[in-house]
Amino acid sequence: MTLVRERVKASGGRPVLRHPLRAEAMRGFAPAAGGAVVLTLGAVLAATADRWQGGWVETRSELHAMLLLLLPFAAAAGCWLGGRERRRRTEELWESVVRGPLARFLASAVPLALWLVAGYAVTAAGASLATWPYARGDRPYLDLLPVDVLAVAAASVSGQVVGRVVAWRPAAPLLALAGYAVLGLSVASDDGADRFVNPALPVGHGEIPVGRQPAAMAVWVAGLATAAVLAYAARRRWTALLPLAAAVAAGGLLVQTGDGLWRTNPVENRQVCDTSTTPQVCVNARYGALLPQVTAALSGITGRLEGVRNLPVRFEDRLGAPRAGEVQLPMLTPLGSSLVRGRLTDPGQYAWEAVAMLRGRGDCGTLDPRVSLADDAVEHYLAPSPAEEYFDRLDARGDEERRAGLAERRAARERLASMGADARREWLSAYFAAAGDCDARKVPAL
């Protein structure tokens, strides 16, 4: 009573009225659910940071993939909160207030949805800030974020409808399990057109939505949730038909158009090149600022190939097969292997893979010993494998055949290294003229 009198006195004798949304939003289940979202998604993202931190597209796709965890959780949280009055046995008291059913529903549903959305938004902001220092080109991608946020809110509100309708305590965990199962089956389906109505459908790193896709997905998820709320709490329940019709139309567009609502990111086919080397070195524009690192990693190769003929014009890094006069650059993606947080993890390994790309005999199967000797000598001269010494030591301790093979390889390496500069350039020019050819007769003897 003392606290009430103080509040009345502070307000000039008038009673202080608190909006019901304030009580729901400031304490209880909703803030705890929002905190659980931040902690859970933050832990998952931290554990997988190597595969997304440093790439804007990867960060976007990883955040979008978090919906597979978040949507069932949001639905279960809404369902649990929806059954609160039944568990407390305060349903009759709650129904006796002046406000209508829809207002009472929203007073409970909106704070939880906002807290879950805030948790996801905080996680997305944290992931973006973690990527910013390591990004090596491109720009942040926000094309999926608004619809993802809307999907989280829709799942929470829809789950609360289920919680109010289904008078069963295990309804919330069972709803979560059902959500994980449905989303998982949709993701696993590669050919079903219905997968395109899944708001958590994984998005490839090279894909961006066309203009209609986010709008159609927003109408789909919001329409279903709104229809459920109106069918449960509106005075005129037939009004639920309007958002339901909009959702059906949007879902039909998503299913019928399918892949047509997605296109390849134009940046994927753009290259940033260093034309001062032979071959030239080009990286995908998404990692344009990485070019100096890649050029430095390949400098030992390009320096030793100066003056050599029959080389590709450039190393390229784009989708699809290399064009005439080009050779594929060793893959920088997916992140977490060659590239982690904007840095090449092993420049020596990267350079060795580039030499393998240059000689281009990956599909030849078992090679003629003459070709194998030439390939090994060129590899040793341009960029030896980081594991070369290890395998040489194994062969040195092996049987007589393996020791003899090692002696032949070392002799071939020595012959190439001891050639005069002009003679070596001529031999390498003849060697690269046979690049990609499995015919041993076209490879010069060493």
Side-chain angles (χ1 to χ4, degrees):
M1 291 297 293
T2 302
L3 181 60
V4 173
R5 284 195 296 270
E6 288 178 355
R7 287 181 176 177
V8 171
K9 183 178 180 180
S11 63
R14 292 171 300 176
V16 179
L17 298 178
R18 301 294 187 187
H19 196 282
L21 285 177
R22 178 184 175 85
E24 291 282 357
M26 298 306 294
R27 61 179 183 269
F29 182 72
V37 169
V38 175
L39 293 176
T40 303
L41 299 190
V44 174
L45 288 172
T48 60
D50 285 356
R51 74 186 187 197
W52 58 265
Q53 193 176 7
W56 287 118
V57 168
E58 287 80 2
T59 300
R60 176 208 66 173
S61 296
E62 196 72 19
L63 284 171
H64 179 71
M66 292 297 101
L67 292 187
L68 291 170
L69 293 174
L70 185 51
L71 293 184
F73 174 82
C79 184
W80 180 257
L81 186 60
R84 179 183 58 184
E85 307 307 328
R86 185 182 303 109
R87 293 192 301 274
R88 293 177 176 177
R89 298 181 180 180
T90 58
E91 290 177 288
E92 293 183 2
L93 178 63
W94 185 239
E95 291 176 359
S96 66
V97 301
V98 177
R99 297 180 182 272
L102 183 58
R104 296 198 303 268
F105 179 87
L106 294 178
S108 174
V110 170
L112 176 61
L114 291 178
W115 270 104
L116 293 174
V117 165
Y120 181 67
V122 167
T123 304
S128 298
L129 290 175
T131 291
W132 198 287
Y134 305 108
R136 291 294 177 262
D138 211 0
R139 58 173 177 80
Y141 287 83
L142 303 178
D143 45 9
L144 301 179
L145 189 58
V147 179
D148 290 351
V149 165
L150 185 59
V152 173
S156 172
V157 171
S158 301
Q160 188 149 170
V161 172
V162 175
R164 298 208 173 195
V165 172
V166 179
W168 195 32
R169 284 179 177 269
L174 290 178
L175 181 61
L177 290 175
Y180 290 125
V182 170
L183 293 180
L185 291 174
S186 177
V187 168
S189 174
D190 293 331
D191 52 0
D194 57 337
R195 73 186 189 278
F196 292 107
V197 298
N198 178 3
L201 186 69
V203 177
H205 296 162
E207 295 179 322
I208 57 174
V210 300
R212 293 177 298 168
Q213 196 279 339
M217 183 60 73
V219 174
W220 166 249
V221 297
L224 290 180
T226 303
V229 171
L230 294 178
Y232 168 74
R235 294 185 184 279
R236 297 177 177 85
R237 295 186 177 182
W238 60 265
T239 56
L241 295 176
L242 299 177
L244 181 61
V248 170
L253 175 64
L254 292 170
V255 170
Q256 292 176 5
T257 311
D259 288 324
L261 292 176
W262 299 88
R263 64 187 177 95
T264 301
N265 189 348
V267 180
E268 292 286 341
N269 288 318
R270 289 214 316 266
Q271 303 280 287
V272 178
C273 299
D274 184 341
T275 60
S276 65
T277 64
T278 303
Q280 300 172 10
V281 179
C282 300
V283 300
N284 194 286
R286 288 209 290 121
Y287 309 100
L290 193 68
L291 182 59
Q293 281 191 60
V294 175
T295 302
L298 302 183
S299 59
I301 299 172
T302 55
R304 290 183 174 90
L305 291 178
E306 187 174 356
V308 175
R309 304 183 308 278
N310 302 319
L311 292 172
V313 175
R314 65 181 62 86
F315 285 103
E316 58 88 14
D317 180 24
R318 61 162 59 90
L319 296 174
R323 296 180 295 196
E326 297 179 340
V327 63
Q328 176 69 51
L329 193 74
M331 295 299 295
L332 294 169
T333 55
L335 301 187
S337 180
S338 297
L339 185 63
V340 176
R341 296 181 182 88
R343 304 294 300 179
L344 289 175
T345 56
D346 191 342
Q349 174 74 15
Y350 189 79
W352 173 72
E353 292 175 2
V355 173
M357 297 291 187
L358 278 174
R359 68 176 184 239
R361 271 188 279 271
D363 298 329
C364 289
T366 303
L367 294 173
D368 185 278
R370 171 180 169 179
V371 178
S372 297
L373 283 177
D375 286 349
D376 179 78
V378 171
E379 174 188 301
H380 179 81
Y381 175 68
L382 294 178
S385 166
E388 181 184 279
E389 292 185 7
Y390 171 75
F391 287 110
D392 283 355
R393 287 196 300 269
L394 288 181
D395 288 343
R397 295 194 297 266
D399 56 25
E400 183 176 352
E401 182 180 355
R402 292 175 63 182
R403 293 196 301 271
L406 175 61
E408 290 182 5
R409 293 199 303 274
R410 285 176 170 170
R413 297 169 188 169
E414 180 61 27
R415 285 195 294 271
L416 180 60
S418 62
M419 285 182 181
D422 291 340
R424 185 164 50 242
R425 279 194 292 269
E426 289 299 321
W427 188 91
L428 287 172
S429 296
Y431 172 85
F432 283 110
D437 200 320
C438 302
D439 189 350
R441 294 170 296 179
K442 297 182 180 180
V443 178
L446 186 62

